[in-house]
Amino acid sequence: MSRENPFLSCIVPAFNESENLQKFIPALAKTLEAENIQFEILVVDDGSEDNSIATLSSMLDKYPLRILELSRNFGKEAALSAGIDHVSDRHLALLIDADFQHPLDAIPTMLSLWKEGYDMVYGIRNRNTESPLKKFLTNIYYKILNFSSDIEIPENAGDFRLLDRKVVTALKALPEKNRYMKGLFAWVGFKSIGIHFSELERENGQTHFNIKALFNLTLAGLTGFSNLPLRLCMGFGALLACCSMSYGIWIIIETLFQGIDVPGWATLIVAISLLGGIQLLFLGIVGEYISRIYTETKGRPQYIIAQEHHHHR
Ligand code: UDP
Ligand code: MG
């Protein structure tokens, strides 16, 4: 495929977005038609409980639409993987949210950068729809993540991306089940460029990422792309051991010169409980990695497809 006449597959993960999809599919199609490009829209319905499927089905004969219906809600990372897995290796892929937060007018810019030779064009969000506290915490998170991992994961680069077929092929070949897509996009490499965009307010409904979902995503990123937590445990353990040894030597010397000194109950209790706490904490960190190994070894698929609906014209 030359960069002149591409076929674009738009991957749209959607979970309970019926109202948005009703308007989003026509809007996306209109943008792409104006670009004079061949395209298909692949909606990954991530186990929606609203009438998304009915809404989408009613549009099947009007738009070049494909619906991938997952058997339940598997989460956005899995939905994106499902989409990528079902895009042809010959196609260019665009990942875009269904809630209008990713501005459609950025698509022409992304396409022209791809034509210039970039293999991956990612949107960098300015997070202006988010609270200052969340912005602040996200900032710290990216600093820690990038400090601790070997690869550079671009800050605030979300899932609004254009992927060349080379990138699609590379992503499909990754066997891991614990998927932190932002990390994997950076990990596969290729000639990439970020463009800044200002995300819009969600049209209908509200975000699916509550504190728990965000916490899980944070942990997936940290454990998936860094061994730093484990190294910290090791370093801290070594430091504590050195301190204890020095203290032991000090006690021996003190005993030799001044005899045995009984008091010290407080020191003892503090040392025991502190050590107990630290051990449990570190065990938890180790456990977090083990649980991820467990998930990988179980080898369950990341998602299950219940049904696929095709456009027929
Ligand atoms: N989404 C999904 N599965 C989920 C949660 C979200 O497919 O379990 C989709 C959702 O429908 C939307 C996109 O992922 O198209 C982004 O989700 P959302 O807007 O809730 O996240 P935010 O924009 O707040 O980060
Ligand atoms: Mg959103």
Side-chain angles (χ1 to χ4, degrees):
M1 179 183 67
S2 78
R3 298 217 171 195
E4 285 313 307
N5 191 14
F7 188 103
L8 179 67
S9 292
C10 300
I11 301 170
V12 185
F15 177 44
N16 293 340
E17 304 280 11
S18 181
E19 276 175 274
N20 285 324
L21 288 167
Q22 182 86 51
K23 286 190 275 170
F24 182 74
I25 302 298
L28 179 62
K30 196 169 155 227
T31 308
L32 296 170
E33 274 156 16
E35 282 299 293
N36 232 334
I37 185 176
Q38 284 179 282
F39 68 95
E40 64 167 353
I41 300 173
L42 174 58
V43 180
V44 183
D45 179 79
D46 191 10
S48 294
E49 283 144 14
D50 63 357
N51 51 358
S52 292
I53 293 294
T55 308
L56 289 166
S57 300
S58 72
M59 292 192 270
L60 270 179
D61 41 56
K62 222 171 145 203
Y63 300 99
L65 189 63
R66 236 188 336 149
I67 312 165
L68 215 56
E69 201 183 323
L70 302 191
S71 62
R72 64 169 171 86
N73 181 251
F74 283 91
K76 187 181 179 187
E77 308 296 299
L80 285 177
S81 300
I84 291 171
D85 287 346
H86 287 79
V87 158
S88 156
D89 281 336
R90 281 166 286 124
H91 295 178
L92 181 64
L94 174 79
L95 312 182
I96 186 165
D97 284 359
D99 56 5
F100 285 96
Q101 288 200 276
H102 296 161
L104 293 168
D105 48 21
I107 296 176
T109 322
M110 292 174 122
L111 284 169
S112 62
L113 282 165
W114 172 78
K115 280 186 184 144
E116 276 173 35
Y118 289 100
D119 295 319
M120 181 150 40
V121 186
Y122 54 86
I124 302 172
R125 43 197 294 213
N126 59 4
R127 298 191 178 269
N128 59 1
T129 59
E130 290 182 341
S131 69
L133 177 69
K134 197 168 164 203
K135 256 172 144 165
F136 175 73
L137 291 176
T138 315
N139 207 352
I140 295 182
Y141 171 62
Y142 275 111
K143 293 280 178 306
I144 296 177
L145 186 60
N146 274 325
F147 172 75
S148 56
S149 99
D150 296 333
I151 52 158
E152 179 77 15
I153 299 173
E155 281 182 40
N156 295 320
D159 298 321
F160 184 28
R161 278 173 198 260
L162 186 66
L163 314 173
D164 184 67
R165 60 178 188 151
K166 282 185 273 184
V167 182
V168 171
T169 310
L171 287 169
K172 279 190 199 177
L174 297 178
E176 63 195 271
K177 305 283 190 284
N178 275 302
R179 280 172 109 84
Y180 179 64
M181 295 307 290
K182 292 179 207 17
L184 295 178
F185 291 136
W187 187 88
V188 294
F190 295 103
K191 196 175 165 199
S192 310
I193 189 169
I195 57 162
H196 289 268
F197 76 91
S198 180
E199 75 252 39
L200 312 168
E201 290 292 344
R202 204 174 217 288
E203 285 254 323
N204 290 291
Q206 46 186 314
T207 175
H208 301 98
F209 286 84
N210 52 20
I211 302 275
K212 190 178 155 212
L214 281 176
F215 182 72
N216 284 338
L217 197 63
T218 310
L219 268 189
L222 275 178
T223 53
F225 288 87
S226 153
N227 293 329
L228 187 75
L230 292 173
R231 297 253 168 86
L232 282 180
C233 297
M234 202 164 75
F236 200 77
L239 187 76
L240 261 180
C242 288
C243 292
S244 320
M245 244 177 316
S246 319
Y247 188 53
I249 294 171
W250 167 248
I251 291 177
I252 294 173
I253 296 171
E254 203 186 26
T255 313
L256 286 178
F257 288 97
Q258 292 181 0
I260 293 171
D261 187 17
V262 180
W265 182 80
T267 327
L268 208 65
I269 292 299
V270 169
I272 290 175
S273 52
L274 181 72
L275 270 179
I278 291 172
Q279 278 175 347
L280 284 181
L281 174 71
F282 288 4
L283 206 60
I285 295 178
V286 177
E288 192 57 46
Y289 282 87
I290 294 179
S291 88
R292 275 157 216 279
I293 300 173
Y294 184 46
T295 313
E296 294 296 333
T297 53
K298 277 189 287 194
R300 290 182 187 154
Q302 297 161 61
Y303 55 84
I304 293 173
I305 293 168
Q307 225 179 330
E308 221 180 313
H309 312 258
H310 285 269
H311 160 76
H312 30 78
R313 198 174 341 214

